[in-house]
Amino acid sequence: MATPSASLKILMAAPEIAPFAKTGGLGDVAGSLPPALRRLGLEVRLVMPFYRVSQAAAPRARDTGLRLRAAAGSKILEAEVWQAELEGCPVYFIKQDALYDRDGLYQDKSGDFPDNPQRFIFFCQAVLELARALDYAADIVHLHDWQTGLAAAYLKSRLSDPGPLAGAKSLLTIHNLAFQGVFGRDIFPQTGLPPEMNSMGGLEFWGNLSFLKAGLVFSDALTTVSPNYAREIQTPAGGMGMDGILASRAGALTGILNGADYGQWSPQSDAFIPKHYSPDDLAGKQACRQALLKVFGLEAPGPATTVAGFVGRLAWQKGMDILAEAAPRLLLDDVRLCILGTGEPYLEAQAKELAKAHPGRVGVRLLFSEELAHLVQAGADLMVMPSRFEPCGLNQIYALKYGTAPVVSATGGLKDTVEPFDPSSGEGTGFLLEKPAPADLLCALREAMWTKARPELWRRLQLNAMSRDFSWGRNAEEYADLYRRLAVR
Ligand code: ADP
């Protein structure tokens, strides 16, 4: 490391932070990066909304007595500030029950909450108000995804008083460009931002407003969660309408790969799996496999059977439909399939159909279960991710540590983290699909099964995979270096 970072103060605002709230990888990252930064000597304070699920997950959180006022639509609302700790980092919860005390973080069964714009306008204003209430002169305000994008605009707005954040630099991390926080332009007056920000050089996005774009335009620096995704999003094919803006900010955009928290995700210590195992002794994986098959109601297979797992949001992005389309041909081979996910009703229905058509061979659990996610990682032979795009992807990173071979699309962070296995040299950690299509998936899965049928090669692949280190150390240092460069500007 170049210089000591003891004096750097970070205020990190995220819409979800594990273990207090999580819908995907962002929650994991916002929960594991801050402790890693703290270990590097930085002071990190976190802020997030106090959702119903967070109130349950943080029973020891206490009311600080601080009160904030901010606008939500036409109303000024007050919020209480509650506090908990995450491995030594203070976590401040913005408690505004009318906005956040409900089932779901951003949506329920009937779709996105209609007041999401107000919920996150309020949250972004509360971030600045919190710094004022705490008199916390952060050097860096680190924002995550569209829900926090407006905070970058407030820091730059001539109409807001940033208080102790007057000298702060802002950094926005893009976890997924597909979530853009797009709302009607009539919302703009509710933001309290000056009219000049209601323009192409501001929040305006194809005739609407995008809260993500506020972050892309007004943050001092941008990161995304893998180097390859940083390149992809600057192209029309991967930019989702934001490629022009991102290309114009190329000098401010860096790809920093997400890290894994092996304290949570390691077969040697995992709290959720029936038996631990390690590269020196993989025997425990067998017990995990039996447990997995039982939980998913699948026929106990012989040792030659391949158990393939899918864990993730059931969204178009993740390609569960590609797996479903490939499944009838795939299941002609000796394969069991475990699918864990929740999401789009049409994909949930497709998964259910698949299980019905192949009883005993395909098991589907349509729920969000941390415990089952760990069990699939440990018990499966293959982790299938036929994603159409994937900013980083954590599942394949976890899978490597569990000696579970990732079968992934050659896109985004998947390409940065999975090395194709070469049977002639014995190098590599997984299998890549050229395109996210059923035929390519089948081809990659057959390659995986061919390898698995050769125990020496398979052992070699597993050991390669388990030896890869994606822990936060080096990547957290990259963030610290970036903060430092920003702070001296
Ligand atoms: P994304 O952030 O796009 O959802 P990632 O692969 O980066 O995808 O992270 C997914 C995280 O969410 C992993 O920790 C994974 O275990 C978890 N996850 C996704 N779906 C479920 C589910 N149904 N139950 C439990 N955990 C899930």
Side-chain angles (χ1 to χ4, degrees):
M1 266 200 302
T3 49
S5 42
S7 58
L8 271 188
K9 292 192 174 72
I10 315 300
L11 177 59
M12 192 171 301
E16 55 184 83
I17 300 171
F20 306 116
K22 164 175 164 180
T23 64
L26 161 59
D28 280 350
V29 169
S32 57
L33 173 60
L37 292 167
R38 185 172 176 269
R39 289 193 288 275
L40 296 176
L42 280 72
E43 180 180 346
V44 187
R45 302 192 192 185
L46 294 139
V47 52
M48 65 173 282
F50 210 15
Y51 305 106
R52 179 171 296 172
V53 63
S54 314
Q55 300 194 26
R60 295 217 301 273
R62 60 176 183 85
D63 185 354
T64 61
L66 296 173
R67 299 292 179 263
L68 312 175
R69 290 167 70 76
S74 53
K75 286 179 270 180
I76 301 286
L77 298 177
E78 191 178 80
E80 297 173 3
V81 179
W82 286 56
Q83 188 186 338
E85 276 226 346
L86 185 65
E87 296 180 45
C89 302
V91 181
Y92 297 99
F93 297 107
I94 304 301
K95 187 173 189 308
Q96 213 308 318
D97 288 348
L99 297 177
Y100 308 125
D101 182 22
R102 54 181 89 167
D103 289 334
L105 268 52
Y106 321 119
Q107 55 187 201
D108 60 17
K109 281 283 167 206
S110 32
D112 288 349
F113 294 132
D115 60 348
N116 274 344
Q118 292 78 27
R119 297 171 79 226
F120 291 104
I121 288 172
F122 185 86
F123 178 63
C124 289
Q125 295 182 0
V127 171
L128 275 74
E129 291 307 313
L130 176 71
R132 195 190 316 279
L134 297 170
D135 194 21
Y136 187 52
D139 300 290
I140 305 290
V141 179
H142 189 164
L143 307 169
H144 296 270
D145 272 0
W146 73 264
Q147 295 90 337
T148 61
L150 285 180
Y154 290 127
L155 287 169
K156 290 272 193 300
S157 160
R158 62 180 167 82
L159 297 183
S160 54
D161 167 15
L165 297 179
K169 296 290 193 317
S170 55
L171 164 66
L172 175 84
T173 298
I174 306 159
H175 292 261
N176 193 333
L177 197 61
F179 300 109
Q180 303 184 334
V182 174
F183 305 105
R185 221 161 163 184
D186 53 317
I187 298 289
F188 187 82
Q190 298 182 24
T191 64
L193 289 166
E196 65 270 18
M197 287 186 170
N198 186 6
S199 65
M200 242 175 77
L203 278 64
E204 193 272 340
F205 185 59
W206 306 107
N208 289 310
L209 295 182
S210 161
F211 287 10
L212 178 69
K213 192 177 164 219
L216 300 184
V217 172
F218 296 114
S219 295
D220 295 299
L222 302 171
T223 63
T224 189
V225 290
S226 70
N228 194 37
Y229 193 61
R231 286 186 290 273
E232 287 175 0
I233 59 179
Q234 294 179 56
T235 67
M240 302 192 161
M242 298 286 188
D243 41 296
I245 301 148
L246 288 164
S248 76
R249 299 224 58 202
L253 170 65
T254 332
I256 302 179
L257 199 66
N258 279 342
D261 178 358
Y262 292 130
Q264 300 292 322
W265 295 94
S266 161
Q268 302 192 50
S269 56
D270 192 313
F272 294 109
I273 63 176
K275 202 146 181 105
H276 291 152
Y277 59 92
S278 70
D280 298 329
D281 180 6
L282 280 154
K285 195 164 172 62
Q286 193 54 31
C288 298
R289 174 186 168 102
Q290 295 308 331
L292 173 67
L293 292 162
K294 194 159 170 227
V295 171
F296 277 76
L298 299 178
E299 294 159 4
T305 307
T306 300
V307 180
F310 175 101
V311 178
R313 289 180 293 111
L314 298 183
W316 182 80
Q317 173 196 345
K318 300 287 180 182
M320 202 285 300
D321 54 315
I322 296 171
L323 174 59
E325 237 184 275
R329 275 184 292 161
L330 173 66
L331 290 162
L332 295 176
D333 288 319
D334 189 8
V335 174
R336 303 287 181 274
L337 202 51
C338 306
I339 298 178
L340 171 67
T342 54
E344 301 278 351
Y346 79 96
L347 290 170
E348 291 198 353
Q350 198 173 13
K352 264 195 232 162
E353 278 301 308
L354 196 62
K356 212 167 121 197
H358 305 279
R361 296 164 68 81
V362 178
V364 170
R365 292 291 172 271
L366 298 176
L367 65 156
F368 196 94
S369 159
E370 199 67 37
E371 184 176 352
L372 285 187
H374 286 249
L375 188 58
V376 178
Q377 291 286 3
D381 300 305
L382 309 177
M383 180 59 65
V384 186
M385 297 178 73
S387 304
R388 292 187 165 90
F389 63 95
E390 194 62 74
C392 177
L394 287 172
N395 274 319
Q396 83 284 7
I397 291 179
Y398 301 150
L400 291 170
K401 194 46 84 195
Y402 286 80
T404 302
V407 181
V408 304
S409 304
T411 185
L414 297 174
K415 209 168 156 185
D416 282 334
T417 51
V418 179
E419 306 149 46
F421 185 71
D422 175 358
S424 55
S425 67
E427 300 293 324
T429 57
F431 303 90
L432 284 112
L433 293 57
E434 250 175 63
K435 288 192 309 294
D440 295 71
L441 176 59
L442 263 183
C443 193
L445 284 167
R446 293 213 168 114
E447 213 185 314
M449 289 187 280
W450 181 91
T451 312
K452 186 173 167 291
R454 287 157 182 78
E456 274 188 25
L457 274 185
W458 192 249
R459 170 59 65 98
R460 182 77 187 266
L461 180 150
Q462 286 184 306
L463 294 182
N464 292 346
M466 294 173 92
S467 72
R468 295 298 182 268
D469 182 4
F470 290 98
S471 55
W472 265 116
R474 195 162 37 91
N475 306 348
E477 279 182 25
E478 276 190 60
Y479 274 107
D481 283 341
L482 179 58
Y483 294 156
R484 239 174 268 131
R485 288 198 302 274
L486 272 174
V488 296
R489 256 202 232 151

